């Protein structure tokens, strides 16, 4: 059986975008999600990631004693970049 892992390990997002992060190959048990910087991205208890501000952070998930992480980079869209 494949081992549990996150469905993404790196996310590039613009402000106010959502992404549903989850543990693949999960076999029961609860998952706890948290953000290392809630000003950049926050995450719900179900794994829904919302980008809040520009910068970088990690969304971490703890499942059966093991911690998994996903790097999040929130950037300005190319349309809004100053040239």
């Amino acid at each position: 059986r494949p081992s549990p892992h996150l469905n993404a390990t790196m996310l590039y997002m613009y402000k106010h975008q959502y992404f549903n992060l989850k543990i693949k190959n999960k076999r029961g048990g609860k998952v706890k999600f948290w953000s290392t910087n809630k000003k950049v991205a926050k995450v719900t208890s179900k794994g829904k990631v919302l980008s809040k501000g520009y910068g970088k952070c990690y969304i971490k998930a703890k499942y059966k004693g093991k911690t998994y992480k996903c790097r999040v980079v929130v950037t300005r869209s190319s349309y809004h970049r100053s040239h």
Side-chain angles (χ1 to χ4, degrees):
R1 218 172 202 208
S3 61
H5 60 278
L6 283 174
N7 62 332
T9 55
M10 182 89 175
L11 292 174
Y12 286 97
M13 304 173 83
Y14 300 130
K15 262 174 101 170
H16 309 298
Q17 281 190 314
Y18 289 97
F19 183 82
N20 288 314
L21 201 58
K22 56 189 166 189
I23 300 275
K24 302 284 255 175
N25 304 317
K26 189 168 90 89
R27 299 176 209 130
K30 289 194 171 203
V31 179
K32 182 184 177 188
F33 291 96
W34 72 95
S35 172
T36 59
N37 187 341
K38 291 179 183 168
K39 290 180 180 177
V40 174
K42 70 178 189 174
V43 62
T44 67
S45 60
K46 302 252 184 199
K48 188 174 188 177
V49 179
L50 169 63
S51 55
K52 301 280 287 174
Y54 305 116
K56 300 171 189 169
C57 73
Y58 284 94
I59 300 296
K60 295 188 177 185
K62 190 165 193 170
Y63 173 67
K64 290 193 173 181
K66 188 170 179 189
T67 302
Y68 303 86
K69 64 183 180 178
C70 174
R71 186 169 187 232
V72 178
V73 178
V74 181
T75 61
R76 296 178 192 274
S77 67
S78 56
Y79 179 79
H80 290 91
R81 269 196 196 144
S82 56
H83 296 281

